[in-house]
């Protein structure tokens, strides 16, 4: 019975349908709804327009901001102390890579040096100059060997996961940044697993890695760098005289043969997939003082030279006799500051 | 239930009836005719293949002069490789019924141009090059990483090759990093490479297999050094000087991926193509090509500077570049300031 009524109603509606003339369709409520719908879709279209959308949310950059390189140079000059080699090479490398629309391989930088000399700091500055949100950006990925790849027996699992992670993220945003910290603690085979991504391939399984940037941070080679720096000092030459070529060749071989370097006999060096080996020189007394001054200013206090000297004197230096280079670079400076400025 | 259905149909027909009156035989017939003609035209290969990639038909020949021009202009310092590849590929392509698929084994030091050559080759056979869906690139470290899963890799590889060759007989398969591949994996494709007319109904005779590896690179370098030491010109090196020592060296080299492989055993590899290490003049050619590609004017001073920055071996004589032409781009970025300054001054 119910079914019959339902079908009767439907039949009635269908019968009445041809009686609707065009004039009868101009009905206030439906017209109002139609206009509202049209306005809504126009608004959605406007909002999803990239230039507007990317103002509020973070987007993947397809063409980089030309001011990025200038910002990078400025930041490195003002905030990084005592690394004349680094600022020269990093700015040119990153700028050249970003400007090159037809890069043949992803950019691979290897930052080596003593602890506390600014390696993480530089990678942070690079990330900030390319991505608006810096290290917090969802296109910047940081891996710490001791944290993300702790167990030597799970290395196969780590290899698979790392490859999937890199592949997935680069296919979403070709201009991704990957930072690998503590390379000297990373298992030798693990880095071999990302070698294919760093090589000169146009496409790998449909994904192009040519716009990505890989930064490797490590303490390996620090002794070699210090040796070179000490030689220069002992011969009476200034720190700024040290050229990249003096260090680069010595570094590459020593890192390759160093069992602890994470690159040990790795195909990365074998295949020359690292574009730049960037050495970080150990910091001297005057650089430690610069760090202290910057820290004091950032806390908003007036700079008192007496306190700056005292803090710098408290740091330990090597070699034992000459006492030129700081053992920990600029680390623990802010902790010492708390001791002197007790508020 | 059965009765309500005809009840629904009647008013529906009554609504559509006025529309049915517009069905006029002539115009409908014309519309159907035009639609079918258009469909037929669109699905015709010659039109269709302009927009979507198609497998090259059996009769299509390679353009010999185009291939030769590409090799001459883009590949530097490899007279042997150019010769061999040109003859091999043209001979294979012009042969209407080859007896077995073409198999090239490219050996040489890093940065000498093996991947580059295979890319040029792939572009000649399939215009889209490495992006073509008929060109397949396999990396040992990426696609076959774990040695305990060799059986799985074997099966997957066989299925993949079988499937793709049945879809397009002139597929190109490039295997990179052969020296890192587990020896057993390559034995899995041996049946496809042999002199069979058909295997399970699929003919592999028009396919091309390219193997890239660093194995034997040290042997080639030694031979090149010997030539240089005896005062002979690089261009005098012949294939017959290198081929036998290469094949044995690779066969006996545990790390070669072709180690004691039945592929060499059965002489299934058609050509061993050696890549000689590059000298400084070739590195300079690479730098010039890179500068031209970026649109800068070629400055010989910078070319010399970049070439000098590269490392060379042996230590004393410093003849051959350690890395071939790799990292040239990176070094150019360092000198870019000078270059940019120059181009700005010239306006």
């Amino acid at each position: 019975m119910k079914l019959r009524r339902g079908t009767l109603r439907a039949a009635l509606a269908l019968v009445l349908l041809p009686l609707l003339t065009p004039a009868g369709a101009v009905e206030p409520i439906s017209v109002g709804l139609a206009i509202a719908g049209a306005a809504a879709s126009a608004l959605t279209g406007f909002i999803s327009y990239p230039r507007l959308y990317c103002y509020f949310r973070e987007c993947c950059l397809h063409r980089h901001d030309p001011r990025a390189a200038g910002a990078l140079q400025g930041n490195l000059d003002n905030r990084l102390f005592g690394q004349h080699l680094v600022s020269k090479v990093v700015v040119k490398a990153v700028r050249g890579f970003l400007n090159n629309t037809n890069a043949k391989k992803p950019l691979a930088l290897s930052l080596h040096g003593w602890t506390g000399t600014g390696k993480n700091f530089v990678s942070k500055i690079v990330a900030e100059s390319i991505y608006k949100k810096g290290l917090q950006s969802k296109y910047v990925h940081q891996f710490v060997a001791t944290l993300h790849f702790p167990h030597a027996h799970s290395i196969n699992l780590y290899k698979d996961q790392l490859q999937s992670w890199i592949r997935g993220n680069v296919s979403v945003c070709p201009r991704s940044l990957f930072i690998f910290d503590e390379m000297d603690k990373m298992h030798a085979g693990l880095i071999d697993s990302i070698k294919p991504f760093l090589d000169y391939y146009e496409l790998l399984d449909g994904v192009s890695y040519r716009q990505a940037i890989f930064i490797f941070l490590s303490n390996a080679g620090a002794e070699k760098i210090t040796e070179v720096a000490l030689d220069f000092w002992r011969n009476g030459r200034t720190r700024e005289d040290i050229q990249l070529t003096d260090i680069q060749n010595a570094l590459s071989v020593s890192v390759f043969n160093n069992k602890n370097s994470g690159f040990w006999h790795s195909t990365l060096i074998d295949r020359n997939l690292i574009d730049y080996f960037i050495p970080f020189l150990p910091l001297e007394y005057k650089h430690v003082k610069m760090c202290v001054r910057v820290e004091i200013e950032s806390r908003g206090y007036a700079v008192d030279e007496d306190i700056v000297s005292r803090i710098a004197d408290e740091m330990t230096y090597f070699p034992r006799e000459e006492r030129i280079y700081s053992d920990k670079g600029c680390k623990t400076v802010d902790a010492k500051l708390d001791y002197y400025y007790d508020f | 239930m059965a009765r309500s259905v005809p009840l629904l149909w009647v008013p529906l027909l009554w609504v559509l009836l006025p529309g049915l009156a517009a069905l006029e035989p002539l115009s409908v017939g014309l519309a159907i005719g035009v639609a079918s003609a258009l469909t037929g035209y669109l699905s015709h290969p010659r039109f269709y293949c302009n927009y979507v990639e198609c497998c090259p038909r059996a009769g299509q020949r390679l353009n010999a002069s185009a291939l030769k021009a590409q090799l001459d202009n883009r590949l530097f310092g490899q007279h042997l490789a150019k010769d061999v590849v040109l003859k091999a590929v043209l001979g294979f392509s012009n042969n209407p019924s080859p007896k077995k698929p073409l198999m090239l084994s490219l050996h040489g030091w890093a940065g000498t141009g093996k991947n580059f050559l295979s890319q040029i080759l792939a572009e000649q056979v399939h215009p889209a090059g490495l992006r073509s869906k008929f060109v397949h690139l396999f990396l040992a470290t990426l696609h076959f990483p774990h040695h305990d899963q060799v059986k799985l890799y074997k099966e997957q590889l066989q299925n993949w090759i079988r499937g793709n060759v049945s879809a397009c007989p002139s597929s190109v398969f490039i295997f990179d990093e052969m020296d890192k591949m587990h020896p057993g994996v390559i034995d899995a494709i041996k049946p496809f490479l042999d002199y069979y007319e058909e295997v399970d109904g699929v003919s592999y005779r028009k396919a091309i297999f390219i193997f890239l590896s660093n194995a034997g690179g040290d042997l080639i370098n030694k031979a090149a050094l010997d030539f240089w030491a005896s005062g002979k010109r690089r261009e005098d090196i012949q294939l017959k000087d290198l081929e036998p020592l290469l094949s044995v060296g690779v066969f006996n080299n545990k790390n070669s991926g072709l180690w004691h492989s039945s592929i060499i055993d059965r002489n299934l590899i058609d050509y061993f193509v050696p890549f000689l290490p590059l000298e400084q003049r070739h590195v300079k050619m690479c730098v010039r090509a890179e500068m031209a590609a970026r649109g800068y004017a070629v400055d010989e001073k910078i070319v010399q500077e970049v070439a000098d920055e590269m490392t060379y071996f042996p230590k004393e004589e410093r003849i051959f570049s350690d890395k071939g032409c790799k990292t040239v781009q990176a070094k150019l970025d360092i000198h870019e300031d000078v270059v940019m300054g120059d181009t700005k001054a010239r306006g």
Side-chain angles (χ1 to χ4, degrees), chain A residues 3-4 7-8 10-11 14-15 17-18 88-89 92-93 95-97 99-100 102-105 107 155-157 159-160 163 167 192-193 195-197 199-205 208 210 244-245 248-249 267 270-276, chain B residues 1 3-5 7-8 11-12 14-15 110 115-116 119 123 128-132 137 139 141-143 145-146 148-149 176-177 179-180 212 214 290 293-294 309 311 322-337 340:
Chain A
L3 217 63
R4 260 206 159 157
T7 51
L8 266 173
L14 276 173
V15 162
L17 208 59
K88 215 177 2 167
V89 177
K92 284 194 190 160
R95 178 172 38 201
F97 180 73
N99 281 340
N100 188 1
N102 195 15
K104 296 274 191 320
K105 69 180 283 295
L107 180 65
I155 180 144
N156 283 338
L157 176 66
K159 278 185 183 178
D160 282 338
Q163 284 186 345
R167 185 183 307 129
D192 280 348
S193 67
K195 184 226 138 276
F197 304 126
D199 213 330
Y200 290 75
Y201 295 117
E202 196 181 328
L203 276 185
L204 276 181
D205 292 334
S208 170
R210 290 175 151 187
L244 198 59
T245 39
Q248 244 180 8
N249 295 337
T267 41
D270 222 359
R271 300 296 177 90
N272 302 297
L273 292 175
I274 301 276
D275 290 317
Y276 303 93
Chain B
M1 192 60 184
R3 278 209 197 151
S4 62
V5 172
L7 219 65
L8 212 59
L12 203 66
W14 193 37
V15 168
N115 274 84
F116 196 47
Q119 200 183 318
E123 275 171 8
L130 287 179
R131 292 171 186 263
S132 161
L137 175 66
L139 269 82
T141 41
L142 187 65
H143 298 109
H146 306 300
D148 48 358
Q149 295 191 357
D176 199 358
E177 316 249 318
D179 38 331
K180 304 261 175 334
L212 312 176
N214 284 11
E290 180 65 29
R294 292 198 195 184
E309 268 191 33
T311 53
D322 255 329
K323 320 178 208 181
C325 270
K326 286 196 177 174
T327 68
V328 152
Q329 230 189 22
K331 297 217 187 303
L332 205 55
D333 281 337
I334 294 278
H335 294 270
E336 197 206 351
D337 277 355
M340 290 299 286

Side-chain angles (χ1 to χ4, degrees), chain A residues 76-286:
Chain A
L76 283 179
D77 285 337
N78 295 336
R79 296 160 68 186
L80 186 66
F81 305 123
Q83 306 292 349
H84 65 286
L85 285 174
V86 171
S87 48
K88 215 177 2 167
V89 177
V90 165
V91 171
K92 284 194 190 160
V94 172
R95 178 172 38 201
F97 180 73
L98 289 178
N99 281 340
N100 188 1
T101 43
N102 195 15
K104 296 274 191 320
K105 69 180 283 295
L107 180 65
L109 304 175
S110 185
L111 276 53
H112 294 263
W114 208 253
T115 179
T117 44
K119 301 185 292 294
N120 276 80
F121 195 51
V122 167
S123 58
K124 185 161 101 84
I125 294 180
V126 170
E128 278 168 12
S129 62
I130 303 180
Y131 303 95
K132 251 191 298 187
K133 288 196 186 174
L135 285 179
Q136 314 298 326
S137 162
K138 52 184 173 177
Y139 305 118
V140 177
H141 312 278
Q142 203 164 12
F143 296 98
V144 183
T146 40
L147 182 67
H148 295 107
F149 315 119
H151 308 297
H153 57 79
S154 307
I155 180 144
N156 283 338
L157 176 66
Y158 297 147
K159 278 185 183 178
D160 282 338
Q161 289 181 336
L162 189 53
Q163 284 186 345
S164 313
W165 184 261
I166 294 181
R167 185 183 307 129
N169 278 295
V170 176
S171 46
V172 165
C173 180
R175 182 77 78 196
S176 292
L177 172 64
F178 296 92
I179 304 177
F180 289 84
D181 200 358
E182 316 240 332
M183 282 296 296
D184 39 328
K185 312 256 179 336
M186 202 176 288
H187 190 275
L190 190 54
I191 279 305
D192 280 348
S193 67
I194 64 167
K195 184 226 138 276
F197 304 126
L198 297 174
D199 213 330
Y200 290 75
Y201 295 117
E202 196 181 328
L203 276 185
L204 276 181
D205 292 334
V207 181
S208 170
Y209 297 87
R210 290 175 151 187
Q211 291 200 312
I213 304 177
F214 291 81
I215 301 184
F216 302 101
L217 313 176
S218 133
N219 285 8
E223 316 84 29
K224 209 68 197 207
I225 299 174
T226 316
E227 244 182 65
V228 175
L230 264 179
D231 277 339
F232 267 74
W233 186 86
R234 291 204 175 109
N235 292 338
R237 301 162 70 181
T238 59
R239 185 186 175 89
E240 281 71 17
D241 280 342
I242 304 179
Q243 293 295 327
L244 198 59
T245 39
D246 299 320
I247 303 185
Q248 244 180 8
N249 295 337
L251 200 59
S252 161
V253 171
S254 93
V255 162
F256 191 56
N257 282 331
N258 178 5
K259 266 199 197 166
N260 294 328
S261 96
F263 281 134
W264 183 45
H265 285 182
S266 148
T267 41
L268 277 184
I269 299 197
D270 222 359
R271 300 296 177 90
N272 302 297
L273 292 175
I274 301 276
D275 290 317
Y276 303 93
F277 279 92
I278 301 179
F280 279 70
L281 306 168
L283 297 181
E284 297 175 8
Y285 183 74
K286 51 176 174 167

Side-chain angles (χ1 to χ4, degrees), chain B residues 233-286:
Chain B
R233 287 185 333 140
R234 181 192 177 87
E235 283 74 13
D236 288 341
I237 302 181
Q238 294 291 326
L239 193 59
K240 56 176 168 33
D241 300 320
L242 295 173
E243 204 173 37
L245 87 91
L246 200 60
S247 151
V248 170
V250 162
F251 192 58
N252 283 331
N253 180 2
K254 266 198 200 167
N255 296 329
S256 93
L258 288 176
W259 182 45
H260 283 183
S261 150
S262 42
I263 289 194
I264 300 194
D265 222 357
R266 305 286 180 96
N267 295 309
L268 289 175
I269 297 215
D270 292 318
Y271 299 93
F272 279 92
V273 183
F275 278 73
L276 305 167
L278 298 180
E279 298 174 6
Q280 201 188 62
R281 54 191 167 112
H282 305 121
V283 173
K284 288 208 232 178
M285 287 188 216
C286 287

Side-chain angles (χ1 to χ4, degrees), chain B residues 138-155:
Chain B
F138 292 101
L139 269 82
T141 41
L142 187 65
H143 298 109
F144 315 119
H146 306 300
H147 282 211
D148 48 358
Q149 295 191 357
V150 171
K151 291 208 177 73
L152 177 66
Y153 297 148
K154 278 184 178 179
E155 221 181 284

